[in-house]
Amino acid sequence: MTKYNTLLYYCYSTITEAEQFAADHLKFCKSLGLTGRIIVADEGLNGTVSGTPEACKAYMDAIHADERFTATDFKIDEVDEPSFVKMHVRYKSEIVHSGLRDPHVINPQKQTGKHLEPADFLAMKDDEDVVILDVRSNYEHSVGRFKNAVTLDIENFRDFPAKINELAQYKDKKILTYCTGGIKCEKASALLLHEGFENVYQLHGGIIKYGKEVGGQDFEGKCYVFDNRLTVDVNQVNPTVVSTCYNCGKTTDKMINCANPECNEHFTQCDDCGTQTDGCCSTACQSHPRKRVYDGTGYYVKVPQPVNITKKSKISII
């Protein structure tokens, strides 16, 4: 019997008085006993929530009952324990931070790439005139990505617009974009269209839906997710491991956060190095006075960090 569900979803839909909506929505989620992380903006919702099957069904029913969110597509995972410790609902300027805030230029409610269902994506992805484009960040595609995908050296999705010129060589191709659940592709594909790319597509429901509906064929490695699982399996057809331990170079698909909260770097690390380094990415982090206790998972509840810390990635992407 399923103990808990974890829901991944988003919906671009205008929310008036979104800040008040966020406060009310937090109370509603807590009333259902859910844990998770939801971002609310004037442009819509982006969330991952976890709870009992009954609580998750009640949540999905409530979202679908709101005429603004009837088209919301929920990806549902069965899990042994809740994927979060607390429930957070926060108001922000965007539901995925891109820096593209002019609705007259980029508005997923008006124009995006053509949505491909997983079966259609699978059928098209190996065509000669197709380029598969990963629009996720370095730490995400380092642990898993589609075979032959073009990846970008970006720390955050907000860096994506600056990489458009690097993609100019593919303007005569069909561009198939993908991300974890589909939300980043909505703005990435819209920007590509705005910049003159004509044949732009996106994987509807992202990697997660692709794994559920067509078995995840040719997705190599694991998929990074934004909860305490950190990564999930996707490929049941021809699975492989593409990532290596940041410390020793041994093949591993285990993703962790550095135990030093002032670093908190996402990186792949084998269990042996995890034990030797206390879950840290470097000796400097291992000796840091604020180092957290490493329990083997590499996941930590977020804690406030000093405002003067400048984080710089130390990961080399293969």
Side-chain angles (χ1 to χ4, degrees):
M1 182 177 178
T2 302
K3 294 182 179 179
Y4 298 96
N5 286 158
T6 293
L7 312 177
L8 174 68
Y9 71 97
Y10 71 90
C11 183
Y12 281 98
S13 181
T14 302
I15 303 175
T16 57
E17 299 183 358
E19 194 164 1
Q20 181 60 50
F21 177 92
D24 295 340
H25 202 64
L26 175 61
K27 294 177 183 178
F28 172 63
C29 291
K30 286 184 173 181
S31 75
L32 294 176
L34 296 173
T35 59
R37 186 181 302 119
I38 300 172
I39 297 173
V40 177
D42 298 343
E43 64 182 5
L45 297 173
N46 174 19
T48 307
V49 298
S50 194
T52 65
E54 295 77 15
C56 287
K57 183 181 185 304
Y59 182 79
M60 290 187 288
D61 288 346
I63 291 294
H64 285 148
D66 190 319
E67 62 182 10
R68 296 170 293 185
F69 313 128
T70 54
T72 303
D73 182 22
F74 286 94
K75 276 72 72 177
I76 308 171
D77 275 347
E78 296 179 352
V79 293
D80 291 330
E81 57 185 20
S83 299
F84 295 88
V85 176
K86 298 179 180 179
M87 186 70 234
H88 298 283
V89 181
R90 294 189 171 93
Y91 172 77
K92 294 189 176 182
S93 59
E94 298 178 272
I95 56 175
V96 59
H97 187 20
S98 68
L100 303 171
R101 301 180 187 178
D102 186 347
H104 301 292
V105 175
I106 303 298
N107 187 344
Q109 295 183 55
K110 294 183 178 180
Q111 183 184 46
T112 65
K114 300 172 185 176
H115 286 66
L116 290 176
E117 293 303 320
D120 298 321
F121 184 94
L122 175 62
M124 284 183 62
K125 70 180 183 60
D126 294 324
D127 291 352
E128 289 186 4
D129 62 342
V130 161
V131 170
I132 304 173
L133 176 62
D134 192 319
V135 303
R136 300 172 302 154
S137 304
N138 288 341
Y139 63 87
E140 297 174 82
H141 61 66
S142 71
V143 75
R145 53 195 177 268
F146 275 103
K147 182 179 180 181
N148 298 323
V150 172
T151 58
L152 301 173
D153 182 14
I154 56 177
E155 291 292 313
N156 298 282
F157 183 61
R158 62 177 176 268
D159 300 327
F160 177 79
K163 295 292 181 177
I164 290 294
N165 288 340
E166 294 182 14
L167 301 174
Q169 59 186 305
Y170 306 122
K171 274 199 171 183
D172 62 340
K173 302 284 188 178
K174 294 177 181 175
I175 309 295
L176 273 57
T177 66
Y178 74 89
C179 60
T180 306
I183 186 171
K184 293 177 181 177
C185 290
E186 301 282 6
K187 288 192 174 182
S189 66
L191 180 61
L192 288 167
L193 289 168
H194 177 72
E195 294 294 329
F197 292 78
E198 296 182 358
N199 296 303
V200 182
Y201 302 79
Q202 63 189 79
L203 175 57
H204 184 218
I207 300 163
I208 300 300
K209 188 174 183 180
Y210 181 84
K212 293 181 181 300
E213 294 194 3
V214 298
Q217 181 175 329
D218 292 333
F219 185 83
E220 300 178 329
K222 290 191 174 186
C223 180
Y224 181 90
V225 290
F226 297 87
D227 57 61
N228 64 8
R229 295 171 296 170
L230 293 180
T231 62
V232 296
D233 290 319
V234 171
N235 192 336
Q236 294 88 49
V237 179
N238 55 348
T240 186
V241 179
V242 295
S243 51
T244 58
C245 177
Y246 170 70
N247 298 96
C248 73
K250 184 169 68 177
T251 299
T252 182
D253 58 9
K254 183 177 181 179
M255 172 74 78
I256 74 168
N257 286 1
C258 182
N260 174 10
E262 294 187 11
C263 171
N264 208 44
E265 189 69 77
H266 301 74
F267 65 104
T268 45
Q269 185 180 67
C270 69
D271 286 330
D272 288 342
C273 287
T275 299
Q276 294 172 13
T277 67
D278 296 328
C280 293
C281 65
S282 65
T283 54
C285 285
Q286 190 173 7
S287 61
H288 197 278
R290 295 187 63 211
K291 181 177 68 68
R292 298 168 290 200
V293 176
Y294 178 64
D295 65 0
T297 66
Y299 174 82
Y300 309 94
V301 177
K302 287 188 175 181
V303 296
Q305 297 188 24
V307 296
N308 63 342
I309 295 299
T310 301
K311 180 178 175 182
K312 184 177 181 180
S313 177
K314 300 179 286 297
I315 300 176
S316 297
I317 303 302
I318 297 174

